[in-house]
Amino acid sequence: MDSQLVEARALEAEITALRRACVEPPAPGEDTSRVRKSFREIYQADSEGWELSKDLRSHLGHLESELQFLSTLTGISIRHYSKKTEDLTSTEMTEKSIKKVLQRHRLSGNCHMITFQLEFQLLEIQNEESLSSVITDLSIIMEPTEYSELSEFVSRAEERRDLFMFFRSLHFFVEWCEYRKRTFKRFKEKYPEAVHLSEGASSSCMGIRNPSRPGFELVIVWRIQIDEEGKVLPKLDLLTKVPLQALELDKNGVIETAPLSFRTLLGVLGIEATLESLIKSLHTEASN
Amino acid sequence: MELANTLSQDGESRGGVLAHLERLETQVSRSRKKMEEPQSAQAEESALGTRIHELRRLRDKLRAEVKQHQASVKASTTNVEPDQTLEITEQESLKRKRENVKAILQAYRFTGISGKLTSRGVCVCISTAFEGNLLDSYFVDLVMRKPLQIHHHSIPVFIPLEEISAKYLQTNIQHFLFTLCEYLNAYSGRKYQADRLQSDFEAFLAGPLQRNSLCNLLSFTYKAEPEGQFFPFCARLLYKDLTTTLPTDVTVTYQGTDALSTTQEEQRAAHEDLFFTKPLHQVFTSFARKGDKLDMSLVS
């Protein structure tokens, strides 16, 4: 019974390979080995080689599924990984049954729109009672570099050699970025004339205007910060752009206290409700 | 937290994870069913048989197409004799690919979250570290059902697992896992600091370090110099935020019977500051360094 499933799997893999062979434009010279390989893949199924490679193929297929699954589960996709091991055990250590090994790891991949490249060293010391593993060096390269909040965070992670904090904070940072993007997009779609996104959907600012009242603008600045401990927190501020005449008329100092009231409102209503109420308030002003 | 509520609209990651595991679950239950119920197995078999038949047909069709395609290139290929060694290299390349994928799967532990597929879902392994030292790992065995369930786990009882799963498990698995990661890493870090204090700086403490299992309430009597028999200070550290490794409340009191001199008061205040900003064992490392004799065993 199982063999039928395995055969089905192998057939699927073969069909994928055949489809690839159909699409590949044959180039002279260099690609002859590729052409022959595709031939091989076709004949593979009928030759004895099929027996061995079918197990390999299905096993590989299963492993690739597992990898895809982990990538979906964590939101982190690792594309390349390599490791070098160096044995640092001296003869003195061997006598005391102590083993010392230095591993150099290289890892690269992405978390949504951010790609990372890591290199770190892991020192493992094994003695009779215990094994200690310490990260002794960490270097991180991240792209895109437009997220200025990240460069400081990256140096801190490198300094502390805190690999896990790096990935954790990266995840939460990306989560907040996506949430900010979705929220801004939603408001832009709901109130196309009132809402203005200067840098497009990924911008950190949202402007609220009333087309019938030019000169007035509320700007919401939504930054995403990572603190010393790696905690990711949103920080929202309100900026007001108001014509001078209006300022003079503002006897109660509403505009002056607006940023503070904004903070209070955030605490009470939460981000989305606060933003929506601001947009609505500027909108209804027009009808007066 | 509103984040969870709004993200439930976009359950993409969860949908992807669930859908994938449902597929695998169906596969496993299908093969299990075949072993348990031979009659229904017959029906399953014929369905699978039909599929194989169709796949074979498609494969043959594609083979013909590829042959045609290759015929047009025949002129440029100089040697089309089947090469025995190529068959072996095919296997070699598959083996290499497999080793590569296996290695990447292993490498996931460096992100802090890795996992292995199980027959009922996935067993997630959360790793912890502090100051580059790799510490304990914990696991959570998830059962992929609606609703998602935790089959069993090795999370210590004083970590608010139920609270975290009630908030995020059903709506956002990633958030659930990374939040759990936060709590566990913080706990591991606090425990590491307390352990180091107890083992490396015993000489500086009068009596054992008082601590709770969550390691977020510590109290000890200590001195700041390696010499002397008098332990003038008593410290109480409280870590209200369970996701941090630095205390939120620090109280250092002077134990002496005589009046507190200005230098001692300065010391006391300076110590409070230190405990707020540096990990516990590092504070004591700096105490040890201040003395003229530098004990190398304390510098790690």
Side-chain angles (χ1 to χ4, degrees), chain B residues 45-111:
Chain B
E45 250 184 76
S46 64
L48 191 55
T50 328
R51 173 147 172 81
I52 289 184
H53 187 76
E54 278 179 9
L55 284 174
R56 283 205 191 119
R57 215 173 35 86
L58 179 57
R59 182 205 54 195
D60 294 341
K61 174 166 161 265
L62 282 171
R63 271 190 193 174
E65 273 182 31
V66 171
K67 268 206 183 118
Q68 259 191 345
H69 193 229
Q70 243 96 65
S72 62
V73 199
K74 211 165 182 197
S76 55
T77 64
T78 48
N79 184 12
V80 282
E81 280 165 57
D83 197 350
Q84 286 289 26
T85 56
L86 267 176
E87 207 171 284
I88 304 165
T89 36
E90 192 56 39
Q91 277 180 31
E92 286 303 310
S93 97
L94 275 178
K95 277 192 193 152
R96 232 178 299 128
K97 269 195 205 145
R98 184 180 61 177
E99 291 316 302
N100 191 37
V101 175
K102 265 193 190 164
I104 296 184
L105 280 169
Q106 286 294 313
Y108 262 91
R109 70 179 175 114
F110 294 119
T111 64

Side-chain angles (χ1 to χ4, degrees), chain A residues 120-165:
Chain A
F120 60 95
Q121 290 186 4
L122 192 64
L123 183 64
E124 280 197 351
I125 302 180
Q126 167 109 53
N127 59 25
E128 273 167 8
E129 306 133 4
S130 59
L131 166 70
S132 87
S133 301
V134 185
I135 297 173
T136 52
D137 192 59
L138 174 61
S139 103
I140 304 171
I141 302 173
M142 284 227 289
E143 264 157 54
T145 46
E146 294 103 61
Y147 293 100
S148 54
E149 302 109 322
L150 287 177
S151 52
E152 212 184 289
F153 159 65
V154 166
S155 348
R156 223 180 289 132
E158 283 178 334
E159 222 178 273
R160 294 211 188 150
R161 296 160 286 132
D162 206 335
L163 194 52
F164 298 156
M165 176 190 86

Side-chain angles (χ1 to χ4, degrees), chain A residues 81-95:
Chain A
Y81 171 66
S82 66
K83 164 172 131 176
K84 279 195 208 137
T85 313
E86 194 185 326
D87 194 345
L88 299 178
T89 316
S90 66
T91 38
E92 228 182 276
M93 289 183 204
T94 330
E95 280 163 25

